[in-house]
Amino acid sequence: MEERFSKIIVKVGDITKEDADAIVNAANSSLLGGGGVDGAIHRAAGPDLLTECAGLGGCPAGEAKTTKGYRLPAEYVIHTVGPIWRGGGRGEEKTLENAYRNSLLEAVRVGAKTVAFPAISTGVYRFPPQRAAEIAVSTVAEFLGEHPEIEQIRLVCFSQESKEYHEAALRSLAGRQGSVD
Ligand code: AR6
């Protein structure tokens, strides 16, 4: 398999436990905390994370901003905001792609070489999880092709079903690229 695909790890886990250089938070545009993975990250990082987030002035959907990781094993938290699914006709797919891509640009900017992502938008924001997994895998694979300095991207799924969607997307993409490269 091409090297960039072998840099993508798909696993089931709790992202707050990941010892990556940076973990990505599926936040909302206020960046002031919430439920789901956002709540878990704030609980594990401690209150200093909220204090730093409060000074960032929010974040539009598809963009990303970085803070320190405080009590987390990760050095940085990259906060991104995925799209709220409203049927697919409002640019949701492009916004999700932008959330992955801009998070990775933040990782490059701060020098993070290992980055862990949750399945952005697939919880409270209701993005269909199979399509979200395809976008996650294709966007991070493309980015790895452009940025060899990133050593590993972990797609940390919260269920076995989510893991299977990501694995299938990775197999399908690696198979397709393998036949043309
Ligand atoms: N580790 C990894 N994945 C997790 C964890 C965890 N500890 N906890 C949940 N997930 P969601 P969204 C999964 O709802 O859809 C917040 O309130 C979860 O199973 O956290 O982008 C924000 O403040 C799902 O697959 O994020 C926003 O208001 C994925 O993480 C809103 O939710 C994303 O689910 C963002 O919604």
Side-chain angles (χ1 to χ4, degrees), residues 25 27-31 56-65 79-84 95-96 98-99 102-103 125:
N25 182 16
N28 60 65
S29 56
S30 78
L31 297 186
L56 294 177
C59 182
E63 296 187 16
K65 293 188 178 178
H79 305 264
T80 192
V81 182
I84 299 170
T95 304
L96 187 62
N98 289 343
N102 286 323
S103 295
Y125 282 179

Side-chain angles (χ1 to χ4, degrees), residues 113-137:
K113 296 187 181 309
T114 55
V115 185
F117 281 91
I120 299 164
S121 284
T122 65
V124 174
Y125 282 179
R126 300 182 320 272
F127 200 108
Q130 185 171 8
R131 183 70 193 119
E134 289 164 3
I135 292 166
V137 166

Side-chain angles (χ1 to χ4, degrees), residues 32-52:
L32 296 178
V37 72
D38 193 6
I41 288 172
H42 276 272
R43 275 193 301 279
D48 290 344
L49 179 62
L50 186 59
T51 305
E52 187 176 354

Side-chain angles (χ1 to χ4, degrees), residues 1-165:
M1 192 161 50
E2 232 186 291
E3 200 201 346
R4 65 191 166 119
F5 295 118
S6 60
K7 289 180 169 182
I8 301 174
I9 306 293
V10 178
K11 62 187 284 190
V12 173
D14 174 354
I15 203 165
T16 66
K17 307 277 196 282
E18 290 291 319
D19 64 351
D21 295 334
I23 65 169
V24 176
N25 182 16
N28 60 65
S29 56
S30 78
L31 297 186
L32 296 178
V37 72
D38 193 6
I41 288 172
H42 276 272
R43 275 193 301 279
D48 290 344
L49 179 62
L50 186 59
T51 305
E52 187 176 354
C53 283
L56 294 177
C59 182
E63 296 187 16
K65 293 188 178 178
T66 306
T67 64
K68 289 185 279 186
Y70 299 97
R71 294 180 197 157
L72 291 163
E75 189 178 353
Y76 298 106
V77 179
I78 298 169
H79 305 264
T80 192
V81 182
I84 299 170
W85 182 260
R86 293 194 169 95
R90 301 198 185 187
E92 292 96 327
E93 295 199 344
K94 189 67 193 167
T95 304
L96 187 62
E97 184 184 324
N98 289 343
Y100 278 93
R101 169 165 286 276
N102 286 323
S103 295
L104 287 168
L105 284 171
E106 279 292 284
V108 167
R109 187 179 68 77
V110 300
K113 296 187 181 309
T114 55
V115 185
F117 281 91
I120 299 164
S121 284
T122 65
V124 174
Y125 282 179
R126 300 182 320 272
F127 200 108
Q130 185 171 8
R131 183 70 193 119
E134 289 164 3
I135 292 166
V137 166
S138 63
T139 307
V140 305
E142 183 174 81
F143 194 90
L144 285 168
E146 299 160 2
H147 292 272
E149 67 270 36
I150 299 284
E151 292 171 1
Q152 190 180 72
I153 295 176
R154 301 180 204 155
L155 302 176
V156 182
C157 303
F158 214 46
S159 69
Q160 184 63 31
E161 185 186 46
S162 175
K163 178 174 177 255
E164 282 163 18
Y165 287 141

